[in-house]
Amino acid sequence: MFSARRLFGTNGIRGVVNKELTPELAVKIGCATGTFFQCGELIVGHDARTSSPMLARAVVAGLNATGCNVLFAGMTPTPALQYAVKNRKVDGAVIITASHNPPEYNGIKVVWSDGIEISRDQEIEIENIFFGNAIRYVEWNKIGEVQTLTGGIDEYIEAIKEHVDVAKIAKKHYHVVVDAANSVAALAVPKLLRNLGCKVSTINANVDGTFPSRPPEPRPENLTELARTVRAVNADVGVAFDGDADRAIFVDETGEIHWGDKTFALVEKYFLIKNPGERIVSPISSSTLVKDVADAYGGEIVWTKVGSVTVSHTMKKLNVKLGGEENGGIFYGPHQAVRDGGMATALILDIMADTNKSLSSLLGELPSYFIEKGKVECPNELKEKVLEKIIEQTRGLNTSTVDGVKIWFDDKSSILVRPSGTEPLYRLYAEAKTKEKAEALIQEFSLKLKRIIDSVKG
Ligand code: MG
């Protein structure tokens, strides 16, 4: 890890604290980042992990040593920090978070002045400074200062409220159960919901960086307590967050947990009804549902590689207002082109209030698909060759090769075959109108893939 002149992965710099990600490394990353920003003004904030204050202080020391002034926001949800960058008109931010990773991990994200994480080219600049010993320390009398940023979460809440019909939502007196994952979500979301006139019940809302209640990834298997609570208190909706509150997964009033592309498709539908003809950005791993909705309501999908930063950058480049991922990331451009769990929650309530429908009936109106997943082992060094072969063998079919190969069939089924970015394997995601068909696709393509891997080996 952190070798071969590479620090940044798909979501910033990540590692196990005090093994891969030490305070010493964090100081140097702070110095490299400060050199990159050339004595600018940066916001620094962090999630609720036990290691976050330590790593944040280390990064701040590096930024100050290279002449950057720091507005220190302390423990804050990631989307609130990203919003603060734009709102306070600073040069960027450094966010200490490992999002949904287990508690022993932490990470460092670098954000540009538009609130979006820096581009790969900018990451390379920081890596070149880091590995090329090109850090520029400033003279003793140019060392940066630290000021405290206060009010950031309240400004973030007010900004979200500007994009929904607060009075209409408030009239409904929705009862919402929030599963805050013991994370920074607890600092913003319950207050946002009370501001929207909701009755709020919380679970796992004591901020605790050991994540004692459930893993910080809001996967359905981690949300049974939320589903049970929604039913037990007769709530209208439940919402669960990840460790830095940029992703939100919803539970309807019957206690059913819905995966992210379903709720995204709902947001997409009502966005397109109000904004016909708009384009929507979504990673190729999303459900065909997202395309069905675009087709039905006059939108157009721009498929991207998997990864939230790619979605943000594509939205910005093409001036697209809405993006979404299957994992519960919703990017609402009029607010900010980054995923934002609080904004997603407000948008869902806005749709419920506007249509006067329950979440289960709104989601029930969308087409439904069965999803099956699979994996096939493949040595990292063969991945590229294997991918070329798959592309060759699927030529003539309705495919996208934006990330791996996705094939759409005439019966609305599809399969995505994609090399894992982190493990020596290929992942397969099949989707179909019946469970049997989805399973059959996984079987068929696992076999095909194994044959190709064997032939490439041979
Ligand atoms: Mg996250």
Side-chain angles (χ1 to χ4, degrees):
M1 187 153 205
F2 305 135
S3 57
R5 296 176 72 86
R6 186 97 196 236
L7 286 169
F8 291 88
T10 45
N11 255 305
I13 300 162
R14 291 270 169 99
V16 175
V17 173
N18 284 352
K19 293 208 166 78
E20 294 147 333
L21 191 48
T22 60
E24 190 186 2
L25 188 79
V27 170
K28 195 172 172 191
I29 290 166
C31 290
T33 306
T35 303
F36 168 76
F37 276 99
Q38 298 178 356
C39 305
E41 186 181 29
L42 301 183
I43 290 172
V44 174
H46 59 82
D47 68 13
R49 286 164 194 275
T50 55
S51 58
S52 290
M54 167 187 90
L55 291 171
R57 284 192 293 263
V59 167
V60 169
L63 291 171
N64 287 163
T66 47
C68 287
N69 289 322
V70 169
L71 270 175
F72 192 71
M75 202 190 287
T76 310
T78 292
L81 290 167
Q82 290 175 291
Y83 178 75
V85 171
K86 271 200 319 178
N87 192 37
R88 301 290 181 111
K89 298 189 171 58
V90 293
D91 299 301
V94 180
I95 303 175
I96 312 301
T97 178
S99 187
H100 62 275
N101 289 150
E104 63 271 24
Y105 281 80
N106 215 328
I108 300 174
K109 274 182 201 246
V110 181
V111 167
W112 191 240
S113 57
D114 54 9
I116 300 174
E117 283 154 273
I118 55 171
S119 67
R120 180 64 202 136
D121 286 344
Q122 291 172 316
E123 287 175 357
I124 290 169
E125 281 184 55
I126 292 178
E127 286 168 346
N128 287 342
I129 295 166
F130 184 98
F131 291 107
N133 291 321
I135 287 165
R136 279 198 304 271
Y137 290 109
V138 294
E139 295 289 319
W140 65 272
N141 56 356
K142 300 269 179 4
I143 289 169
E145 292 176 357
V146 182
Q147 283 185 333
T148 305
L149 188 154
T150 54
I153 291 177
D154 286 337
E155 289 164 18
Y156 163 73
I157 289 171
E158 288 306 313
I160 290 174
K161 285 162 63 184
E162 281 173 26
H163 298 285
V164 294
D165 191 333
V166 178
K168 212 179 226 177
I169 297 171
K171 247 191 226 155
K172 297 288 184 183
H173 304 292
Y174 288 126
H175 184 182
V176 184
V177 182
V178 175
D179 177 349
N182 303 106
S183 80
V184 284
L187 306 179
V189 179
K191 189 170 182 182
L192 165 67
L193 291 171
R194 282 194 298 273
N195 268 241
L196 296 174
C198 298
K199 176 181 173 183
V200 185
S201 300
T202 57
I203 60 171
N204 311 325
N206 53 320
V207 175
D208 185 335
T210 66
F211 301 120
S213 309
R214 67 161 172 91
E217 169 130 52
R219 297 201 59 80
E221 59 268 29
N222 298 333
L223 306 183
T224 47
E225 192 194 357
L226 174 63
R228 204 166 46 231
T229 309
V230 167
R231 279 194 304 270
V233 303
N234 278 321
D236 298 290
V237 52
V239 58
F241 295 86
D242 74 326
D244 66 340
D246 59 354
R247 286 164 53 193
I249 293 290
F250 293 85
V251 172
D252 71 27
E253 77 287 358
T254 72
E256 191 180 338
I257 301 162
H258 296 275
W259 195 228
D261 32 22
K262 195 125 197 187
T263 40
F264 172 55
L266 179 64
V267 172
E268 180 194 1
K269 174 177 165 179
Y270 286 92
F271 173 78
L272 286 174
I273 288 172
K274 288 184 179 162
N275 305 276
E278 288 281 342
R279 285 181 294 183
I280 309 288
V281 175
S282 197
I284 194 69
S285 54
S286 295
S287 169
T288 301
L289 175 57
V290 171
K291 184 168 187 316
D292 292 345
V293 168
D295 290 345
Y297 295 92
E300 189 195 325
I301 300 288
V302 180
W303 298 114
T304 67
K305 278 185 189 297
V306 176
S308 65
V309 182
T310 308
V311 174
S312 291
H313 283 280
T314 307
M315 285 176 69
K316 204 185 154 196
K317 195 169 122 202
L318 303 178
N319 195 22
V320 171
K321 296 192 189 77
L322 183 67
E325 300 173 306
E326 44 87 44
N327 61 15
I330 291 180
F331 309 61
Y332 190 62
H335 169 55
Q336 54 179 351
V338 297
R339 54 187 184 190
D340 185 331
M343 187 70 243
T345 308
L347 288 170
I348 293 289
L349 293 170
D350 198 43
I351 294 167
M352 287 168 60
D354 195 36
T355 57
N356 204 20
K357 286 178 180 170
S358 68
L359 187 56
S360 69
S361 60
L362 284 165
L363 293 170
E365 289 167 4
L366 297 170
S368 66
Y369 286 91
F370 289 87
I371 295 169
E372 290 293 326
K373 293 182 183 178
K375 53 187 171 188
V376 172
E377 284 178 24
C378 175
N380 285 331
E381 62 275 16
L382 297 184
K383 279 177 178 170
E384 216 166 300
K385 248 191 170 157
V386 169
L387 187 60
E388 282 170 21
K389 286 257 180 203
I390 310 169
I391 292 173
E392 215 175 277
Q393 292 190 9
T394 53
R395 209 156 271 154
L397 298 173
N398 181 13
T399 61
S400 165
T401 54
V402 67
D403 198 349
V405 184
K406 183 150 183 174
I407 311 156
W408 290 277
F409 302 98
D410 289 341
D411 63 353
K412 306 280 299 178
S413 62
S414 66
I415 186 151
L416 172 66
V417 182
R418 188 175 159 260
S420 162
T422 50
E423 292 169 81
L425 47 88
Y426 262 84
R427 293 188 187 282
L428 298 95
Y429 310 78
E431 197 176 48
K433 286 291 180 186
T434 66
K435 190 171 163 52
E436 292 71 30
K437 175 72 204 219
E439 284 170 351
L441 276 173
I442 291 287
Q443 272 196 344
E444 182 193 336
F445 278 83
S446 298
L447 207 67
K448 270 193 185 152
L449 195 54
K450 279 178 196 154
R451 278 202 204 112
I452 291 173
I453 293 166
D454 283 344
S455 76
V456 169
K457 267 185 193 161

